[in-house]
Amino acid sequence: MKLSKELQEVQEKFSESPFWQTMGFELDHLEEGKSILKMPVSKGLENVLGTLHGGAYAGLLDTAMGITGRSVEKQPLVTIDMTIHYFRAVSEGAVYAEGKVLSRSSSLITLEAKAYDESNNMVAHSVGGFKISRKASQR
């Protein structure tokens, strides 16, 4: 995947995160205003039923929205709210999350992420509000 210098910096910032590495996220696609993340289902992310834990879905969806927002704003973002709807359990393979921008203002950005299994069934959906940091330091 060929990225502009700005998007490459966004990708590097996220992929260096300990959370990103712990969850096993992989970036499949990144362009300004859109991302696709992949998360392999692993034993460490399962719930007591042997399926992907809801918190793992939440982490994937939140991160897909965060990297998508950062691709547009080029500034750090902070999640201020997030709703999730769970549709299907996943117990093997991988889950993909596609993030996109819904609306923007000078201080807030609203994003959406949809998660799919390897058969392209939607397994979860989220909408989140993110505060845009306008601080001089770029974390």
Side-chain angles (χ1 to χ4, degrees), residues 7 30-35 68 71-72 99-101 111:
L7 290 180
L30 182 62
E31 65 184 73
E32 191 169 299
K34 181 180 176 185
S35 71
T68 301
S71 76
V72 172
K100 74 175 193 174
V101 177
L111 297 122

Side-chain angles (χ1 to χ4, degrees), residues 32-79:
E32 191 169 299
K34 181 180 176 185
S35 71
I36 300 174
L37 297 183
K38 176 182 178 182
M39 180 178 63
V41 176
S42 67
K43 291 282 184 201
L45 300 178
E46 290 178 349
N47 60 26
V48 297
L49 301 174
T51 61
L52 191 62
H53 191 282
Y57 287 98
L60 175 66
L61 294 164
D62 184 46
T63 304
M65 290 187 290
I67 198 169
T68 301
R70 185 89 177 239
S71 76
V72 172
E73 294 298 331
K74 314 300 189 280
Q75 301 285 336
L77 306 173
V78 178
T79 309

Side-chain angles (χ1 to χ4, degrees), residues 27-131:
L27 185 63
D28 267 15
H29 179 83
L30 182 62
E31 65 184 73
E32 191 169 299
K34 181 180 176 185
S35 71
I36 300 174
L37 297 183
K38 176 182 178 182
M39 180 178 63
V41 176
S42 67
K43 291 282 184 201
L45 300 178
E46 290 178 349
N47 60 26
V48 297
L49 301 174
T51 61
L52 191 62
H53 191 282
Y57 287 98
L60 175 66
L61 294 164
D62 184 46
T63 304
M65 290 187 290
I67 198 169
T68 301
R70 185 89 177 239
S71 76
V72 172
E73 294 298 331
K74 314 300 189 280
Q75 301 285 336
L77 306 173
V78 178
T79 309
I80 58 172
D81 73 350
M82 183 173 159
T83 60
I84 304 170
H85 297 274
Y86 300 95
F87 304 121
R88 291 175 172 253
V90 178
S91 58
E92 61 185 17
V95 176
Y96 296 83
E98 182 175 341
K100 74 175 193 174
V101 177
L102 295 179
S103 69
R104 295 167 63 191
S105 72
S106 62
S107 61
L108 297 173
I109 183 167
T110 303
L111 297 122
E112 172 185 59
K114 295 178 181 178
Y116 299 90
D117 64 17
E118 290 182 322
S119 297
N120 209 30
N121 297 303
M122 190 183 317
V123 298
H125 173 262
S126 183
V127 174
F130 292 74
K131 175 94 172 123

